[in-house]
Amino acid sequence: MTEYTQPRLMQGNEACVEGALAAGLNFFAGYPITPSTEIAESLAGRLPKAGGVFMQMEDEIASISAVIGASLTGAKAMTATSGPGFSLMQEGLGYGVMAEVPCVLVNVQRLGPSTGIATAPAQGDVMQSRWGTHGDHPVIVITPSSVAEVYTLTVQAFNLAERYRTPVILLMDEVVAHMRESVVLPEPGQLQIVNRPRPETPPGVYNPAEHAGRPVRPMACFGDGYRVHVTGLAHDATGFATSRPEVVNVEMTRLNEKIPATAGEIIPPEKICCDDADIVLTAFGGTARAAMRAMRLARRDGLKVGLLRPVVLWPVPERAIAGLAAAGKRFLVVEMNFGQYGREIERVAAGRAAVYGLYRVSGELITPAEILGRIREVA
Amino acid sequence: MLPEIEGFFRTDKLPHMWCPGCGNGIVLHGLVKAIAELGLDKNKVTIVSGIGCSARAAAYLDFDTVHTTHGRALAFATGIKLARPELNVFVLMGDGDCSAIGGNHLIHAARRNIDLTALVFNNSIYGMTGGQASPMTPSGKRATTAPTGTLERSFDLCELARAAGATMVGRATAFHTRLLTGLLVKGHRNKGFSLVEVITQCPTAYGRRNKMGQPADMLRWQKEHAVDIKAARNMDSGQLQDKIIIGELHRSTAPELTTRYRQLIQELREGGGFLD
Ligand SMILES: Cc1ncc(C[n+]2csc(CCOP(=O)(O)OP(=O)(O)O)c2C)c(N)n1
């Protein structure tokens, strides 16, 4: 039994497992890959004990496919992978988006492209998580910075997936996944658990066309008597394929708008000491920890530095960024890539504020001292 | 449509999108007759299909149906069956779908002996994309991507499935519909992974290019080239050259995955928390 209330030393990947189980996970399929493997290994033992299913599939394409299949029957399903596997999952991810199948995809980023460095931290999948699958599509990507937050955000990932009927990506990095911290888990009763909307009327009476106007429609699950059809082809409100432009237009617009732009604020970005700041460090995931330290060091030296830490990466929490830009703050974006999120900050700042970057891809963490140095350069 | 099968179709989705003379409708008829014969509850039948002409069958059938991605039908079906083992899952694939892009999923579904009934519509060609060579295009036959005939050998999918661990394997043709239905009934009754390959005609993308005549001629070709497995046992390789062996080709027993998984859950629950 998991002991609640007692502080426990826990790794990020373990916290992900605890969070998933607390959210009601009952199906996992995956393929081993560093630095996400602990999630699969732990669930291999835990899930069957909880009456759920763990499957090691033949590859990541099969893993995400099995996850979607399980979710079609009503299961809460998840997979976990890293860069090379995430690339393979793009096909299934797109299917999940198009067919509106809730599931959670954990990507513990490693240095890429290709095999890159398996054990080195990086944050290079920011854009892939947004645009990796083809076609215009909505996406929710959330990113934790601490072990405790891995737990709560994993629960949130399931809740958002169920609420919006869509795959949700939990984008971790190697630092957060492998770091150990002492955490106190909330008791399961304290968690709010969201379940997907289901038909409110029985089979025969239920008519999906009646819900055509709803951004998120009820989901009839396999085996429940509704005899539904699911396809990755463009389809109408009843789920059957169509290529009639007037229907496709309505459906693709609804799909792309069902996750509102304001969803970036569902879990508000963390803003620390921004009110009087001249420079707002902007960082997420493991990098935000170094940025936090750098902010403290800078403040000690009398530099007015704040921190903006987006938790939902996609949709971009534009209100918070725009507000800071309008208030004349300058941004210093720190990330373990060559500026993938920095360009989003520039886009939202729209010329109202200077945006500087500290970007590095070397397989090493960006240190507080480095950040402090860069703050001095731009201050 | 025959009244005994009409209830299994979403008749409002008909007419189908297949070409005149295509064998897919005949195969679908064979499948539905098997489901009728098995007496399955319509609400507990799940159809999983890949991508291709044949995969479009899913939308016409009045069950829970999922039209997945190219090659991945068995992987989706694995998730469905493990999450909800009481469902009767039939997986419909084209020959390219199953043997090329989905080949890896096929061998692993067979190895796991998961209780799925796979039906492969083998029209020897990529139909939906207009007639490119498939791994099951017979050697030397023409395709848009093999204008002078394929240089490659073709797969014997039944042998492949057997070697990978399928516990029931059979082959029929669009001409031998009663055999097809019988094999699907046996396939479903087999508690494990069953694969039924059905040779079917694609007059548009394969027959025309290979001078096989009208659809009726292609069906006649199936009739004349098919040899029942029992007869084939008494024939030598010379006599069997260019023949298609049909019938129940393989049967074995092995533990079935979803059953084993439910047992594991049971054991863990009874045994207490030794796996913490
Ligand atoms: C990943 C991917 N690659 C390629 C395609 C294009 N494509 C659609 S159907 C098909 C082949 C269909 O042939 P087969 O599986 O033999 O089925 P048939 O159409 O003959 O029934 C291909 C290559 C696709 N949809 N997805």
Side-chain angles (χ1 to χ4, degrees), chain B residues 17 143 208 230 261:
Chain B
M17 51 81 76
R208 221 164 24 124
K230 292 187 208 82
Y261 212 94

Side-chain angles (χ1 to χ4, degrees), chain B residues 245-266:
Chain B
I245 302 177
I246 59 171
E248 185 177 328
L249 306 183
H250 170 72
R251 181 68 97 133
S252 59
T253 50
E256 191 276 324
L257 182 68
T258 51
T259 315
R260 282 293 295 119
Y261 212 94
R262 293 297 131 181
Q263 281 168 357
L264 171 70
I265 290 171
Q266 194 68 25

